[in-house]
Amino acid sequence: MSELLVKAMTHVTKSFEGVMYGSESYLEGHLIEVYALGSRYNADEDIRCALLLHDNLEDTKDTKKDLEKLFNWNISNIVYNVTDGDGKNRKERKSIMYSRIKNSPEKLRVDSTFVKLIDRICNVKAGGKIDMYRKEHKEFKKHLYRRSDKTLKSLWNDLDELLKY
């Protein structure tokens, strides 16, 4: 594991200490699952760090600037892109996040979509909110799916399959 990945792992371990995900720690029950699934796709080092850190802006005191100082611009922007916006309800928060991803430069858009898809797949596999994810799927896909993203096609297919009735 690279120095940057060790740093990301150390950071999320401290950030989510004592936080639970069902009967497991948040780190083991979710963050490691997201990292492991994303790593199967030969993701680069920045993306693998972002997979670990993807919930830090939403669920910890970290800011985008904090992540940029600790890691780099690319990692902080991927994490920022996949973080819900400030809205009065879930639909508004998601809409802001979708717009952020859609309006990013191409590589950042693809990397952010990859992280968001991996996170969504892991959330669906964990169960619990499957009906909510099914209801949101059409909107999620409408905003983030691009035919030209060949590397993401298998992830979209996996998510579609998981959300079938």
Side-chain angles (χ1 to χ4, degrees), residues 23 28 32 42 63 66 102 122 126 141 143 147 160:
S23 61
E28 292 175 5
I32 297 294
N42 296 319
T63 66
D66 293 335
K102 282 188 338 185
C122 288
K141 195 167 183 177
H143 288 286
R147 284 187 211 273
D160 289 344

Side-chain angles (χ1 to χ4, degrees), residues 23-40:
S23 61
E24 295 182 275
S25 73
Y26 196 77
L27 178 68
E28 292 175 5
H30 182 62
L31 300 176
I32 297 294
E33 291 294 319
V34 170
Y35 173 81
L37 179 59
S39 294
R40 289 186 206 143

Side-chain angles (χ1 to χ4, degrees), residues 1 9 11 16 29-30 47 58 64 66 70 72 103 105 113 117 130 136 142 149 161:
M1 192 178 277
M9 182 64 77
H11 189 73
F16 289 95
H30 182 62
I47 294 171
E58 236 168 74
K64 185 174 178 250
D66 293 335
L70 284 168
N72 63 44
N103 294 317
T113 302
L117 275 166
I130 191 90
E136 292 177 349
K142 178 180 104 176
D149 296 342
E161 194 62 34

